[in-house]
Amino acid sequence: DLGQAFAPFVYSWIKETSKKISEWIKNACLIDQKKPISKDILYGSSVVDAFSFLEQSTQFLSKLGIFDPFFVLQLTEVC
């Protein structure tokens, strides 16, 4: 199984990416003006940024063909 063969490398990427995601989210929260995005969307831009970071990371795994629930779980635990 290709996913199993690359598991150590993918897990290493997740660990490194998790550090960056944490930094990105912290920075997004710092620059967020704590105001709703619009009158219909009541959360701030940092919420959008956080989910965008997670989405981009899961898309990367998916493009590699390694969308194993274990890896996705590891990535989401970081966030």
Side-chain angles (χ1 to χ4, degrees):
D1 180 60
L2 187 60
Q4 293 290 8
F6 285 100
F9 304 106
V10 173
Y11 189 70
S12 177
W13 175 82
I14 289 172
K15 286 173 59 176
E16 288 302 312
T17 301
S18 70
K19 294 175 191 174
K20 293 177 183 176
I21 289 174
S22 294
E23 290 176 30
W24 294 333
I25 291 174
K26 286 177 189 174
N27 289 335
C29 289
L30 288 173
I31 62 172
D32 191 346
Q33 296 180 359
K34 311 295 187 267
K35 295 179 184 176
I37 293 175
S38 71
K39 66 178 183 171
D40 298 323
I41 301 173
L42 302 178
Y43 46 82
S45 62
S46 61
V47 174
V48 175
D49 292 341
F51 280 98
S52 294
F53 299 144
L54 183 58
E55 174 66 21
Q56 290 170 8
S57 299
T58 55
Q59 282 182 3
F60 177 75
L61 290 175
S62 180
K63 286 179 184 178
L64 290 177
I66 306 173
F67 205 73
D68 187 306
F70 172 76
F71 293 127
V72 175
L73 179 62
Q74 295 297 314
L75 187 60
T76 57
E77 283 182 359
V78 167
C79 298

